Amino acid sequence: MATTNEPAAGMLSALLQEDRRYPPSDEFKAQANWSDPAIYERAEADPEAFWAEQARAIDWFKPWDRVLDWNPPKARWFVGAEVNASYNCVDRHLQSWRRNKAAIIFEGEPGDSRVLTYRDLYREVNRCAAALKRLGVKKGDRVAIYLGMVPELAIAMLACARIGAPHTVIFAGFSADSISDRVNDCGATFAITADGGWRRGNKIPLKDTMDRAMESCPTVKTVLVVNRTDDARQVPMNEGRDVWWHRALADSGAEQVEPERLDAEHPLYILYTSGTTGKPKGMLHTTGGYLVGTACTHKYVFDLKEEDVYWCTADVGWVTGHSYIVYGPLANGSTCLMYEGSPDYPDKDRFWDIVEKYAVSILYTAPTAIRTFMRWGKDFPAKHDLSSLRVLGTVGEPINPEAWVWYREVIGGDRCPVVDTWWMTETGQILITPLPGITVLKPGSATFPFPAVKADVLDESGNSVPLGSGGYLVLQRPWPAMARTIWGDEERYRTQYWSRFPGNYFAGDGAKRDEAGYYWLLGRVDDVLNVAGHRIGTMEVESALVSHPAVAEAAVIGISHEIKGQGIAAFATLRGGYEGGATMVETLRDHVGDKIGAIAKPDKIFFTAELPKTRSAKIMRRLLRDIAEGKVLGDTTTLADPTILASIKQQYEESE
Ligand code: WT7
């Protein structure tokens, strides 16, 4: 695996020698939603007509006047239309036999389970929406949601969507500081959390963390608290601010709340993601185009059928959960499984136990998880009947061919197509992906842009590179679920994504196309890490480190990690009076955990008298990466003091 910023030459040549091919079976093709490759030409001939056709799968209160208004980089989709996401994900399914179809099958980590039919979901979403309104939430108000993977999370999101209050879901692994940063950035006035959540048999004290965050969130007036772990007595409720979810919903009774007729461009949610600065970006997604983009890709990328049991193992706290647990799948009226906990609780076969228990037919997970399962061995899946599976998907990071083939053979019985889907928080929907009834698969390749999506690979000067070479991945035409801006920072939206190659959306990923035009994703080309499929900015970790009194300076880089894809290595210089060593390593790891969340804790921390800097005092992370990769050090002539590298190198090698 490459470290950040490095052209992944070694990996690349290995990838391009990958000569295994997996065409769709005749049997799969015969039943596929799309099996005719002409769909690509049809979409390419008239992209707007293609999306308009897909938009007919959504229910609109008022039709659009124009499919698209495109003033780069500003897009408005389905201009003039009125729509509601909650109506599309819930109400409309009540008009057919689907009313009693399972919408959400919830499996709690302790082994409890709940099934919510579409009718149940309707009832709960209405009760929650009524409670939100009664407690003062109005159209346009931002609602922060900090919950584990429980049905109330989806219910809360849909209730917000129903009344037109954009939600901002904060991953339950984030710290109090991360919560308050996000809440304050978007000025949320209302928050929803739980007493706790279950993880590896432990109760995660969500409410405690929320309480600490609320100390610096003056805008939040009310916190709704779900009782998940029956800790009611231990959880202190703040008079006048905290309200139990079950009480508030009981007060709603059977009240129904009309879904707001919202403009297609009404904000649906804000979701924060890491960038190249210390401050996460609040990506703003709107309603109409987002529903079209997510529902359509969910249906065709996974070859969704009415009777499928679909399981996306992501957390709803990330975009994958927003688009492919909540909005896309529920808009399609599908049955979605939602699992609360860890894959190794109570044992390492929990996923396979769930697949067997509910006869899951579509499984969507991350390469990190697959590599973990590989390490645990075939015996765990072998204990279970996995014959219900028919389509497998991956997302979040590049998948190595070995893991791809293992997934296909061991989990998919060598019968299920594996769709490697590339997209981002910013893109809202899958953009580069196989179509399982059409594409001849190559292990490790996300294959081709989805119909009507126009991608390219550019060199430094913005020229398209020939097939067989690599460069920067860009998108050259708007797509319906694209983020519309960064909340409160239009300027950053423009410079971050649209200025590197004017007129092109700059993804920040390296990619290569092979001679047949297949796309191979190579990882980030900026200061963003991808740790176990989670995006973390090196600057965020650096600012967390230097906020500790012991740390004078810090530099953070990505390092290869067998399971997580990337790990985090930090190099720190300490202030006078502080000493490095194992205790300081733990102190700083915990500090980063407190500042950001456990996912950002560095795997390795090195102490050094100085960081390698240019004479103009710029930290040369490239040299640190060379050390981490065991490479011959690149050009060191611009270094102010070349001798410090030797000592860093020695420490690093001793740590291996
Ligand atoms: C970054 C976006 C999209 C949901 C999960 C991550 C990487 C994503 C793939 C893939 C190679 C991938 C990219 C991208 N990425 N999918 N199939 N192959 N890399 O969303 O947190 O916004 O991260 O994840 O580097 O830029 P995110």
Side-chain angles (χ1 to χ4, degrees):
M1 284 287 317
T3 54
T4 326
N5 285 345
E6 295 294 313
M11 178 178 93
L12 196 61
S13 47
L15 278 178
L16 295 183
Q17 278 156 25
E18 174 58 58
D19 56 7
R20 286 168 285 193
R21 302 284 179 273
Y22 298 84
S25 68
D26 291 341
E27 201 188 340
F28 192 94
K29 221 180 193 164
Q31 60 80 61
N33 291 346
W34 276 343
S35 54
D36 183 355
I39 187 70
Y40 287 103
E41 288 138 49
R42 210 151 57 74
E44 198 51 38
D46 192 345
E48 284 182 34
F50 170 84
W51 289 119
E53 188 183 319
Q54 304 314 317
R56 282 188 254 285
I58 296 300
D59 281 7
W60 306 83
F61 297 132
K62 177 170 173 274
W64 54 89
D65 305 318
R66 279 187 313 288
V67 175
L68 172 68
D69 250 6
W70 180 226
N71 297 306
K74 303 303 287 179
R76 293 198 305 149
W77 281 90
F78 307 106
V79 183
E82 286 177 1
V83 65
N84 185 290
S86 179
Y87 178 87
N88 272 280
C89 292
V90 189
D91 305 42
R92 65 171 176 158
H93 305 308
L94 266 49
Q95 291 156 19
S96 74
W97 66 272
R98 276 187 191 148
R99 66 180 71 88
N100 284 320
K101 179 179 177 175
I104 296 177
I105 299 178
F106 169 70
E107 169 89 357
E109 194 190 68
D112 54 327
S113 65
R114 255 170 92 186
V115 177
L116 284 102
T117 64
Y118 275 97
R119 180 122 189 97
D120 295 331
L121 189 60
Y122 175 80
R123 212 172 282 130
E124 297 304 309
V125 168
N126 273 284
R127 278 150 47 92
C128 182
L132 294 180
K133 282 183 92 160
R134 218 176 30 252
L135 293 166
V137 181
K138 297 196 173 53
K139 177 173 163 183
D141 290 350
R142 276 79 65 208
V143 175
I145 307 179
Y146 184 65
L147 281 171
M149 285 282 287
V150 290
E152 284 77 7
L153 175 48
I155 293 165
M157 291 162 76
L158 293 166
C160 288
R162 194 169 194 84
I163 62 175
H167 53 72
T168 185
V169 178
I170 302 166
F171 172 59
F174 277 125
S175 68
D177 281 357
S178 294
I179 299 173
S180 52
D181 284 352
R182 287 159 173 75
V183 165
N184 290 327
D185 185 79
C186 70
T189 51
F190 195 95
I192 305 178
T193 188
D195 54 349
W198 290 104
R199 188 79 194 174
R200 279 210 182 90
N202 297 315
K203 289 181 187 180
I204 305 296
L206 297 174
K207 175 70 163 57
D208 291 355
T209 309
M210 196 64 166
D211 284 347
R212 269 183 286 122
M214 288 302 112
E215 288 167 17
S216 47
C217 295
T219 51
V220 176
K221 301 292 174 238
T222 310
V223 180
L224 204 52
V225 186
V226 174
N227 173 12
R228 168 58 187 145
T229 59
D230 256 330
D231 244 352
R233 268 169 310 245
Q234 281 101 311
V235 172
M237 295 292 275
N238 184 317
E239 268 293 318
R241 187 195 71 189
D242 299 346
V243 182
W244 283 105
W245 167 287
H246 54 275
R247 301 239 170 91
L249 267 66
D251 289 346
S252 301
E255 193 176 329
Q256 297 187 7
V257 175
E258 272 301 297
E260 287 277 333
R261 294 171 66 115
L262 300 172
D263 186 90
E265 286 297 329
H266 187 78
L268 178 60
Y269 68 82
I270 300 162
L271 184 62
Y272 287 84
T273 189
S274 294
T276 50
T277 72
K279 187 172 142 46
K281 306 174 273 193
M283 303 314 306
L284 178 75
H285 284 285
T286 60
T287 309
Y290 180 79
L291 281 174
V292 173
T294 55
C296 161
T297 47
H298 179 250
K299 178 169 176 188
Y300 293 107
V301 170
F302 300 106
D303 192 48
L304 182 74
K305 300 295 189 303
E306 190 71 75
E307 57 276 23
D308 273 312
V309 177
Y310 165 83
W311 182 19
C312 166
T313 71
D315 194 291
V316 172
W318 308 109
V319 76
T320 308
H322 282 61
S323 297
Y324 297 107
I325 296 180
V326 180
Y327 291 110
L330 296 176
N332 284 331
S334 56
T335 294
C336 302
L337 200 126
M338 190 173 184
Y339 170 56
E340 177 182 36
S342 165
D344 58 357
Y345 188 87
D347 207 346
K348 298 187 173 66
D349 64 343
R350 185 62 185 274
F351 271 28
W352 320 122
D353 183 62
I354 293 174
V355 168
E356 179 172 7
K357 181 171 174 188
Y358 300 105
V360 171
S361 54
I362 304 175
L363 179 66
Y364 190 28
T365 194
T368 298
I370 298 166
R371 288 190 292 265
T372 305
F373 299 139
M374 281 174 80
R375 190 167 65 177
W376 290 345
K378 292 181 185 173
D379 289 352
F380 292 104
K383 282 199 247 172
H384 296 278
D385 178 4
L386 305 181
S387 61
S388 55
L389 289 171
R390 55 178 213 93
V391 178
L392 302 176
T394 78
V395 62
E397 42 175 331
I399 182 163
N400 44 316
E402 198 195 349
W404 193 102
V405 170
W406 189 92
Y407 192 31
R408 170 161 175 124
E409 290 177 353
V410 178
I411 304 306
D414 208 14
R415 129 196 118 249
C416 309
V418 174
V419 290
D420 170 5
T421 63
W422 177 89
W423 57 296
M424 316 171 62
T425 305
E426 291 85 340
T427 74
Q429 67 178 85
I430 294 169
L431 293 182
I432 302 184
T433 176
L435 292 173
I438 297 176
T439 314
V440 176
L441 305 170
K442 297 185 184 181
S445 169
T447 74
F448 301 106
F450 190 80
V453 171
K454 189 160 185 267
D456 202 351
V457 179
L458 305 183
D459 66 16
E460 286 291 341
S461 5
N463 302 310
S464 180
V465 302
L467 295 185
S469 8
Y472 302 103
L473 177 66
V474 296
L475 300 161
Q476 300 182 312
R477 181 190 287 150
W479 58 97
M482 65 198 285
R484 302 301 196 253
T485 190
I486 294 173
W487 180 266
D489 203 344
E490 180 68 25
E491 186 48 37
R492 190 174 179 196
Y493 172 74
R494 287 170 188 268
T495 52
Q496 192 89 61
Y497 304 107
W498 300 93
S499 69
R500 179 74 176 76
F501 302 111
N504 294 260
Y505 170 86
F506 176 67
D509 276 307
K512 179 147 181 167
R513 272 173 310 204
D514 65 18
E515 298 296 342
Y518 280 68
Y519 283 74
W520 300 78
L521 276 303
L522 302 173
R524 302 287 311 181
V525 294
D526 52 12
D527 288 324
V528 171
L529 307 180
N530 191 328
V531 178
H534 303 317
R535 223 162 122 177
I536 299 167
T538 51
M539 289 279 284
E540 279 176 83
V541 183
E542 287 170 6
S543 23
L545 284 168
V546 298
S547 73
H548 191 277
V551 180
E553 256 191 327
V556 164
I557 60 163
I559 50 174
S560 316
H561 191 287
E562 205 190 325
I563 302 292
K564 298 193 283 188
Q566 278 192 315
I568 304 176
F571 299 82
T573 59
L574 296 179
R575 291 182 195 281
Y578 290 97
E579 276 204 21
T583 316
M584 184 56 78
V585 168
E586 272 325 296
T587 305
L588 294 182
R589 278 172 43 84
D590 288 345
H591 180 73
V592 173
D594 280 346
K595 284 280 153 190
I596 305 175
I599 53 165
K601 287 186 180 182
D603 297 274
K604 298 181 173 186
I605 301 182
F606 301 97
F607 300 107
T608 158
E610 255 182 277
L611 291 170
K613 286 189 197 153
T614 60
R615 270 168 277 240
S616 59
K618 206 167 164 279
I619 298 174
M620 294 185 74
R621 291 184 183 74
R622 152 177 298 275
L623 293 174
L624 296 172
R625 283 192 289 266
D626 286 350
I627 292 177
E629 288 213 314
K631 279 203 210 145
V632 178
L633 293 182
D635 185 5
T636 59
T637 49
T638 50
L639 266 184
D641 177 4
T643 61
I644 62 159
L645 278 178
S647 106
I648 299 178
K649 196 166 158 69
Q650 189 190 344
Q651 269 196 64
Y652 198 91
E653 282 160 4
E654 282 165 7
S655 81
E656 291 283 84

